[in-house]
Amino acid sequence: MDPPACQCPGGGEARPVRAGAGWKEHGLDFERLLDASAYKETFRRDMIRWGEERRQADPGFFCRKAVEGVSQPVWLVSDTRRPSDVQWFREAYGALTHTVRVVASEQSRRQRGWVFIPGVDDAESECGLDHMEGFDWVVENHGDAGSLEEQLRRLVDFVRSRL
């Protein structure tokens, strides 16, 4: 439900993690690493470990990669994972930064096929923002399509008002 004038680059912050890891060198399909398939799950722990090593060396590495060479009137970064990611965008873009948190109950996630994997789903890359407060928007995605549509409509209206 992207506003047409937004022209936001896709993939969020996780895209450079997957692209920069050199997965093609290992014979892996980059596009399949972007979806929610069993294929991605096979390599997920390695991607998380590689990303953590990069972040320890340079906390802003992936945030800079996500915005590199692109100028936007509105940024919709769909995949920040840690408070340091949000902090980077707030420092880089100040008042232009608006945060959106999407939440879903474990029950609704399980109904969509999610299965908890210890060591993966409890890693900082998956739950680093769970205790962070102060999001500008919280979108609840518990399976009620009408409610979700209304929340997204209000968010899109807000974004359009900033264009």
Side-chain angles (χ1 to χ4, degrees):
M1 194 168 198
D2 253 1
C6 187
Q7 303 173 11
C8 298
E13 193 202 340
R15 191 174 189 96
V17 172
R18 296 177 189 134
W23 299 109
K24 287 185 181 183
E25 294 172 15
H26 295 90
L28 302 178
D29 183 332
F30 173 70
E31 291 301 321
R32 289 185 66 198
L33 292 173
L34 298 176
D35 64 25
S37 67
Y39 182 86
K40 179 182 100 174
E41 293 303 318
T42 302
F43 305 104
R44 194 166 165 207
R45 285 180 203 255
D46 291 335
M47 289 189 298
I48 290 170
R49 186 179 60 249
W50 183 87
E52 293 304 324
E53 290 169 1
R54 292 298 295 177
R55 275 187 186 81
Q56 287 174 4
D58 177 3
F61 176 80
F62 295 110
C63 295
R64 283 192 308 281
K65 287 287 188 190
V67 302
E68 197 171 77
V70 182
S71 177
Q72 298 291 110
V74 173
W75 282 96
L76 298 177
V77 181
S78 61
D79 206 8
T80 57
R81 301 293 183 109
R82 296 159 185 78
S84 61
D85 298 339
V86 174
Q87 179 183 344
W88 186 91
F89 280 96
R90 286 180 172 157
E91 289 173 2
Y93 295 102
L96 297 176
T97 302
H98 296 272
T99 56
V100 179
R101 173 79 170 158
V102 179
V103 297
S105 68
E106 285 194 23
Q107 177 183 352
S108 65
R109 294 174 70 199
R110 281 193 295 272
Q111 289 172 341
R112 292 191 287 260
W114 174 76
V115 177
F116 180 83
I117 301 171
V120 173
D121 291 310
D122 52 2
E124 183 183 20
S125 65
E126 304 305 308
C127 55
L129 297 176
D130 286 357
H131 300 292
M132 187 174 153
E133 296 179 1
F135 288 95
D136 299 302
W137 296 82
V138 176
V139 175
E140 296 184 6
N141 184 11
H142 302 301
D144 180 341
S147 173
L148 179 60
E149 184 69 26
E150 176 59 23
Q151 293 172 82
L152 294 177
R153 185 196 58 74
R154 288 193 310 264
L155 179 57
V156 167
D157 289 348
F158 170 78
V159 170
R160 285 185 174 144
S161 77
R162 298 300 193 256
L163 297 176

